[in-house]
Amino acid sequence: MYDPVVTLQRVSKVYSRAGTDVSVLRNLSFSIPAGTFLAIMGPSGSGKSTLLNLMAGIDRPTSGVVVVAGTRLHELSEGDMARWRARHIGYVFQSYNLIPVLTAAENVELPLLLTHLSRKERTDHVKTALRLVGLGDRMDHYPRQLSGGQEQRVGLARAIVSDPTMILADEPTGNLDRESAEDILTLFVRLNRELGKTIVMVTHDPRAAERAQLIRHLEKGVLETPP
Amino acid sequence: MTLGRLILRNTVRRPVRLLLTVGGLAMVVLAFGLIRLTLDQWQAGSRAALKNRLITVHAMSDELRLPLAYKDRLTVIPGARTVHFGAVFGGVYQDPKQSFGSFAEQASTFFETYPEVVLSDAERLAFQQDRRGCIIGHRLAARFGWKVGEAITLKGTVYPGDWELVVRGIFRSTSPNVMGEGELYLHWAYANERLKTTEPDRADQVGWFVVRAADGINGQTVAEAIDASFANSSAETRTESEQAYFAGWVARSGALLRGLEWMSGIINGIALLVLVNALAMAVRERTREYAVIKTLGFQPRHLVSLVLGESLLLALLGGGLGLVLLFPAAQLYAVMTQDRGYVSSYLITTETIGACLAVMLLVGLLAAVWPAIRLIRMTTLEGLRHAG
């Protein structure tokens, strides 16, 4: 158990666009305790997704230190980072990003191919994850045969199937109708409350953010200090 | 679920592109295979020829003739067991387009010299006893529908005039690359007899002597003795084993063969481009998927194995289809070219199959290099932002 799960120390991120430096994150320092369901809000271009990507280890800060699950991410090579991510991070994308030629069950099984689980154990894990998100009867369906809400639930099942330390969700309800969005958010709440999962969700939807335990606002690369 | 299954699903996810790619590769393998077959067959005569069968021709050119009188001197060369001779007859049937290999041979020594000829004793005897008789390969018989006992009339090109012959036997050959089954053999004596009256200056000359060295005798020694005995004569000889003779003939066709080998290389280059293009398109379309897979924790080597697996699978599918098509294509090719005389059969050897598969494996490996490098260089973030 890592507590805090995430610690950022004086993290800045600067992108170079057309010869001009654009500062996306400025000197951020904060930590996320284990078991927290945190929503990070902010307008487009505020740096929400960049912050999430730094925590997931799919981007690197220009300066500062990112420590997640006890690991200083800047010290890892690309290969080690991938291995670390497989163990600690479950990532939920806004546009689901399922592999279209794989069934729901096969998509969910994908992260488990990196583990030492037997085929039967993998199948059991996949069934459990899909039942948890309410898709036990859609295991053999391909993404094109599922609704957007169902696709996102498969995406969530894929994120939790390997029991990662933390779930990161980038606008998980951004492409969904209200009802489907509520279903997904309810699942996040359940995962947090019943299974103690640490969840960081980036959103610009206040109704989605309200379901989190904690809301932080990011404005022009600076995290608003909570009252 | 395995990565192998993902490779398979990725390979077949765009059926039209799959069909075009595999079809393109199959055509390439087919062309490559046919060129290999041609090259193989060209060299097969040399490989199948007997070492102890010596061929004596005019030292200056194969086209020039040797005096028949040389026969008696050859017979007394130490180590010479049988002395046979013959000449190109150059017959055509009805139409100049209907040409085939035809040769005037000394009948009495023919079968001993060429044990490859498979013919019944009765047919052998009938041929030897009839000066107007001829024997034909079964493929030639099938081509014109000729039967044993049938009288046929050929127009001679090397031996001018109309020649009435009687088919006395239809043979098969144990070595079609040496003794072709699309050829005709008639009595040299019959051809020479007519020449004595029409063109006496050309009579009593032969195109070649074939000397079989006695068992246990070094053929090279006999060949040197033959050439030495005709040194400084008006028609010096060049004697070499049948194997060396065919090899030399192949070497003289070197420019053409090199051209064909170049063409093989170019064809393989086309295969490579076809596959690289298909893979590059596929990888570009799936950039985001590969980035997602990386986000899930897969390493660059996993992505490389996905691309490499797909490339090899496509190459082997194309290669396999090409090989399946090669068998009927080779038969068709043999039928279409059987009257050219050079190539008598198109047998697909394990070497040809191996060469086709090896080339496709190599193409599959090479084709994956560029897309794999792109994936290795691609950061996860770049991939996720890809709008393909």
Side-chain angles (χ1 to χ4, degrees):
Chain A
M1 187 73 170
Y2 306 95
D3 203 3
V5 176
V6 178
T7 304
L8 272 73
Q9 297 167 356
R10 305 166 66 83
V11 169
S12 295
K13 180 70 186 179
V14 178
Y15 285 117
S16 201
R17 284 177 191 150
T20 309
D21 285 347
V22 179
S23 187
V24 182
L25 297 177
R26 299 162 196 252
N27 220 18
L28 286 187
S29 294
F30 72 95
S31 58
I32 302 172
T36 303
F37 180 6
L38 168 68
I40 299 176
M41 290 193 71
S44 293
S46 60
K48 306 186 296 292
S49 293
T50 301
L51 180 57
L52 205 67
N53 291 338
L54 291 178
M55 286 191 258
I58 57 181
D59 199 359
R60 290 173 189 266
T62 308
S63 63
V65 175
V66 179
V67 182
V68 182
T71 303
R72 296 163 73 87
L73 300 190
H74 66 280
E75 291 173 352
L76 298 181
S77 66
E78 274 293 310
D80 288 340
M81 188 80 90
R83 263 188 290 275
W84 171 87
R85 204 160 43 232
R87 172 69 192 88
H88 293 290
I89 303 294
Y91 204 100
V92 181
F93 300 91
Q94 179 178 354
S95 49
Y96 332 130
N97 282 339
L98 301 180
I99 307 297
V101 290
L102 300 180
T103 63
E106 288 167 340
N107 266 288
V108 175
E109 191 181 354
L110 210 47
L112 298 180
L113 296 181
L114 296 167
T115 67
H116 296 295
L117 295 176
S118 67
R119 179 178 289 190
K120 186 183 177 307
E121 287 170 326
R122 291 203 307 262
T123 307
D124 290 345
H125 279 64
V126 168
K127 282 180 181 169
T128 303
L130 279 170
R131 281 187 194 130
L132 196 67
V133 298
L135 288 177
D137 57 342
R138 294 282 193 278
M139 302 232 293
D140 296 326
H141 285 57
Y142 286 91
R144 64 177 181 277
Q145 298 168 318
L146 300 172
S147 68
Q150 287 170 330
E151 279 196 78
Q152 191 57 298
R153 280 193 272 166
V154 174
L156 183 52
R158 181 176 65 183
I160 61 172
V161 71
S162 56
D163 192 23
T165 306
M166 179 168 68
I167 295 168
L168 301 176
D170 187 2
E171 303 274 10
T173 57
N175 287 3
L176 300 179
D177 58 60
R178 195 63 249 163
E179 193 180 341
S180 299
E182 281 301 323
D183 290 343
I184 292 293
L185 292 166
T186 302
L187 281 168
F188 277 127
V189 171
R190 275 186 63 200
L191 286 168
N192 173 248
R193 285 187 187 159
E194 295 172 19
L195 302 175
K197 285 287 164 198
T198 305
I199 301 171
V200 178
M201 177 178 70
V202 156
T203 182
H204 61 267
D205 178 1
R207 287 162 68 180
E210 279 171 9
R211 304 292 296 273
Q213 283 176 332
L214 204 61
I215 302 173
R216 301 290 297 271
H217 289 269
L218 194 63
E219 192 82 43
K220 293 181 180 174
V222 178
L223 206 58
E224 163 199 286
T225 310
Chain B
M1 235 297 277
T2 58
L3 284 185
R5 186 177 294 187
L6 183 53
I7 289 170
L8 188 64
R9 302 265 180 88
N10 275 337
T11 306
V12 301
R13 73 197 287 180
R14 292 208 182 260
V16 174
R17 185 191 296 162
L18 173 69
L19 201 68
L20 292 174
T21 305
V22 170
L25 291 175
M27 290 300 114
V28 164
V29 168
L30 190 58
F32 175 74
L34 287 175
I35 289 177
R36 292 303 323 168
L37 277 178
T38 308
L39 290 169
D40 280 355
Q41 292 298 320
W42 222 306
Q43 287 153 350
S46 150
R47 286 199 297 270
L50 294 182
K51 275 185 183 165
N52 71 344
R53 201 155 51 195
L54 306 174
I55 296 191
T56 300
V57 293
H58 199 293
M60 290 178 66
S61 166
D62 293 10
E63 305 295 319
L64 295 175
R65 298 190 159 224
L66 294 170
L68 175 64
Y70 278 19
K71 183 193 169 195
D72 294 338
R73 288 170 64 184
L74 286 169
T75 311
V76 296
I77 298 280
R81 192 179 81 189
T82 314
V83 179
H84 173 78
F85 58 86
V88 171
F89 179 72
V92 299
Y93 181 60
Q94 294 177 334
D95 186 313
K97 287 180 183 170
Q98 299 194 124
S99 65
F100 47 86
S102 56
F103 305 93
E105 305 275 352
Q106 175 177 240
S108 60
T109 51
F110 182 75
F111 295 114
E112 189 183 350
T113 305
Y114 296 109
E116 296 91 343
V117 174
V118 179
L119 202 61
S120 71
D121 289 344
E123 286 176 315
R124 286 173 184 237
L125 195 63
F127 170 61
Q128 286 178 326
Q129 288 180 344
D130 182 0
R131 285 164 68 83
R132 288 174 55 230
C134 68
I135 56 170
I136 56 176
H138 76 97
R139 288 177 52 201
L140 184 63
R143 183 178 166 197
F144 293 120
W146 292 340
K147 303 277 189 298
V148 173
E150 187 171 342
I152 58 174
T153 303
L154 301 185
K155 284 190 186 305
T157 55
V158 179
Y159 290 81
D162 288 343
W163 296 82
E164 290 184 357
L165 303 172
V166 178
V167 178
R168 290 301 179 193
I170 296 174
F171 68 85
R172 287 186 179 271
S173 172
T174 57
S175 183
N177 295 309
V178 175
M179 180 58 62
E181 293 175 326
E183 296 167 354
L184 177 147
Y185 297 90
L186 70 150
H187 287 249
W188 178 88
Y190 177 49
N192 188 57
E193 193 177 290
R194 167 99 63 95
L195 211 56
K196 278 181 179 173
T197 58
T198 56
E199 294 183 52
D201 291 349
R202 289 180 56 210
D204 292 334
Q205 292 180 352
V206 301
W208 57 78
F209 288 97
V210 181
V211 178
R212 282 203 75 165
D215 293 342
I217 299 292
N218 184 344
Q220 183 60 30
T221 310
V222 178
E224 286 168 7
I226 292 171
D227 291 342
S229 74
F230 296 108
N232 302 315
S233 68
S234 60
E236 292 190 344
T237 59
R238 187 183 83 239
T239 304
E240 53 197 348
S241 69
E242 190 177 63
Q243 209 168 46
Y245 179 79
F246 279 134
W249 188 74
V250 169
R252 284 194 290 282
S253 309
L256 179 61
L257 296 184
R258 271 195 298 279
L260 285 175
E261 278 165 1
W262 269 93
M263 217 183 289
S264 293
I266 291 168
I267 283 171
N268 293 335
I270 295 170
L272 189 59
L273 292 177
V274 167
L275 197 50
V276 168
N277 183 48
L279 277 178
M281 274 198 286
V283 168
R284 194 165 50 245
E285 282 173 4
R286 293 182 217 141
T287 300
R288 200 187 239 285
E289 288 173 31
Y290 289 123
V292 169
I293 288 171
K294 270 179 112 172
T295 306
L296 296 179
F298 286 85
Q299 311 239 1
R301 65 185 164 85
H302 292 116
L303 302 189
V304 170
S305 64
L306 287 176
V307 174
L308 184 61
E310 188 172 347
S311 182
L312 288 173
L313 186 58
L314 281 170
L316 288 178
L317 282 173
L321 180 62
L323 279 175
V324 167
L325 295 175
L326 186 58
F327 285 85
Q331 293 301 318
L332 187 65
Y333 195 22
V335 170
M336 286 167 63
T337 57
Q338 65 180 353
D339 59 342
R340 301 294 184 267
Y342 297 119
V343 179
S344 50
S345 66
Y346 285 90
L347 300 172
I348 298 168
T349 60
T350 48
E351 285 84 1
T352 300
I353 294 172
C356 289
L357 289 177
V359 161
M360 291 319 287
L361 273 177
L362 187 64
V363 164
L365 281 172
L366 290 176
V369 170
W370 174 239
I373 288 174
R374 278 187 56 199
L375 281 183
I376 290 169
R377 287 181 178 167
M378 175 193 80
T379 66
T380 310
L381 201 56
E382 283 167 358
L384 289 173
R385 285 175 179 162
H386 185 82

